[in-house]
Amino acid sequence: MVVPLFISEKARDLEYVKNYQPDNTELQHLRILLHGPVGAGKSSFINSVNNILQGRMTGSALVNSAGDNSFTKKYLTYKIPRKPTQKGDRKTFYSVAFTDIMGLEKHANNGVHPEDIKLALKGHVTQGYKFNPVSPLSEGDPGYNSCPTLDDKVHILVCVIPADRLSVLSEEVKQKIRDIREAASDLGIPQLALFTKIDQACSVTESDIKNVYKSKYLKKQMEDFSADVGVPMNCIFPVKNYHSEIHMNDDIDSLILSALRQMVDFGDDFVNMS
Ligand SMILES: Nc1nc2c(ncn2[C@@H]2O[C@H](COP(=O)(O)OP(=O)(O)O)[C@@H](O)[C@H]2O)c(=O)[nH]1
Ligand SMILES: [Mg+2]
């Protein structure tokens, strides 16, 4: 048998995320809410995490708790199934769950209303609720959950930004991001940002995503975003999602796992304080 001499950072992060369980046994999962412009790579990120935790390419076999696979403007939770250790075992899930909110479009009437995102942070949006961009959810509506449990609440807010389109993000979109961040900060919810599509952002990362921290261009983009929106530099994670690959790739996994590990740590701190 070949005994590995060292365990890679990637392997450590993977084990860490796979083994993570909240101390509070009432909590099934950390809820990670992804928000950001349409096409930023939110769904692809969730699928990428699914691939990595399953250890294989999975397509989009994600489970959402509303039992519905439509990719509309519905509020859906995606959970990632654990491989059963024995045949006939009950289906169980990893302790991270994702909610993907489409939105933040330039015009107020497109995308999910920022007020709805704020309600989602507090757990007031029912699974399967179809967002209405024109009028936000209000108390008493059928989609309004008046008694959210700790599981319903958001524990980590993640802003997803396409690294190749940062310079064209409109002031309106940035303002929406700031508003949502502020609402999350008021609730004490930890936040981080993902810079996706680094493989398309500049020639240095296009040739090899391992060069990500050598790219002056990307560093400048991250600094500008940090200054503009207020996410600290050490909370911005550059990633490349699985989007056209046929096989798994260690470099893709490493970047995604370091972001995911930080999400778990931040979320865990938050639920332990709640
Ligand atoms: N090159 C590249 N394309 C990506 C990446 N992430 C997502 N995409 C592509 O960008 C498009 C939008 O991604 P999607 O996940 O649907 O964005 P969403 O609207 O935020 O959910 C799709 O065609 C993806 O295949 C990435 O990291 N690199
Ligand atoms: Mg999507």
Side-chain angles (χ1 to χ4, degrees):
M1 192 174 87
V2 181
V3 180
L5 288 176
F6 67 94
I7 299 175
S8 71
E9 187 89 15
K10 180 205 134 176
R12 253 198 310 248
D13 289 348
L14 180 62
E15 281 315 296
Y16 186 82
V17 172
K18 279 183 155 179
N19 294 334
Y20 170 75
Q21 295 224 289
D23 285 341
N24 181 343
T25 49
E26 276 169 42
L27 190 68
Q28 288 178 30
H29 49 240
L30 294 176
R31 182 181 295 277
I32 301 168
L33 178 71
L34 305 175
H35 74 116
V38 171
K42 299 180 293 298
S43 304
S44 304
F45 180 76
I46 302 173
N47 284 327
S48 301
V49 171
N50 190 27
N51 289 345
I52 295 171
L53 295 185
Q54 310 278 342
R56 63 183 178 85
M57 302 302 283
T58 55
S60 54
L62 292 172
V63 179
N64 66 62
S65 53
D68 173 348
N69 269 323
S70 67
F71 283 81
T72 56
K73 291 184 182 172
K74 280 187 183 169
Y75 190 68
L76 300 172
T77 299
Y78 298 95
K79 300 188 201 174
I80 301 174
R82 286 180 192 268
K83 222 189 237 159
T85 37
Q86 278 178 23
K87 223 178 157 194
D89 272 0
R90 199 169 55 88
K91 199 167 188 174
T92 57
F93 297 90
Y94 287 105
S95 304
V96 285
F98 293 90
T99 308
D100 161 3
I101 282 196
M102 199 173 150
L104 298 182
E105 291 309 284
K106 188 170 169 181
H107 302 291
N109 288 354
N110 285 322
V112 175
H113 201 289
E115 288 307 316
D116 277 340
I117 300 188
K118 293 179 192 171
L119 289 176
L121 292 175
K122 296 186 214 162
H124 287 303
V125 182
T126 311
Q127 288 302 313
Y129 173 70
K130 187 162 182 279
F131 289 107
N132 176 352
V134 183
S135 103
L137 189 61
S138 53
E139 218 171 328
D141 288 350
Y144 188 93
N145 174 2
S146 48
C147 299
T149 63
L150 186 56
D151 263 319
D152 295 326
K153 294 180 186 171
V154 170
H155 310 118
I156 311 111
L157 177 71
V158 177
C159 179
V160 184
I161 299 294
D164 61 337
R165 273 182 25 223
L166 184 66
S167 54
V168 298
L169 275 195
S170 67
E171 192 43 45
E172 286 100 319
V173 168
K174 286 188 208 156
Q175 191 52 48
K176 285 184 183 180
I177 295 174
R178 287 187 207 106
D179 286 352
I180 293 162
R181 263 182 59 71
E182 205 178 296
S185 298
D186 288 347
L187 296 165
I189 298 173
Q191 304 163 29
L192 48 88
L194 290 176
F195 260 43
T196 56
K197 305 194 181 183
I198 56 165
D199 56 310
Q200 289 182 346
C202 76
S203 55
V204 178
T205 44
E206 238 170 66
S207 61
D208 186 348
I209 61 164
K210 276 204 287 293
N211 293 334
V212 61
Y213 290 106
K214 292 184 192 150
S215 163
K216 290 199 177 85
Y217 172 82
L218 215 54
K219 182 162 179 269
K220 172 85 172 60
Q221 297 283 299
M222 289 176 6
E223 282 168 353
D224 288 351
F225 178 77
S226 173
D228 226 1
V229 175
V231 182
M233 276 297 275
N234 62 357
C235 294
I236 304 178
F237 289 82
V239 295
K240 183 212 169 313
N241 290 318
Y242 280 103
H243 75 110
S244 62
E245 291 70 18
I246 298 167
H247 300 295
M248 297 298 287
N249 174 307
D250 269 351
D251 300 333
I252 296 180
D253 293 0
S254 297
L255 290 173
I256 290 180
L257 279 166
S258 66
L260 192 59
R261 181 174 182 152
Q262 190 69 72
M263 291 177 202
V264 167
D265 280 345
F266 277 12
D268 191 57
D269 287 346
F270 177 66
V271 293
N272 287 333
M273 284 186 317
S274 300

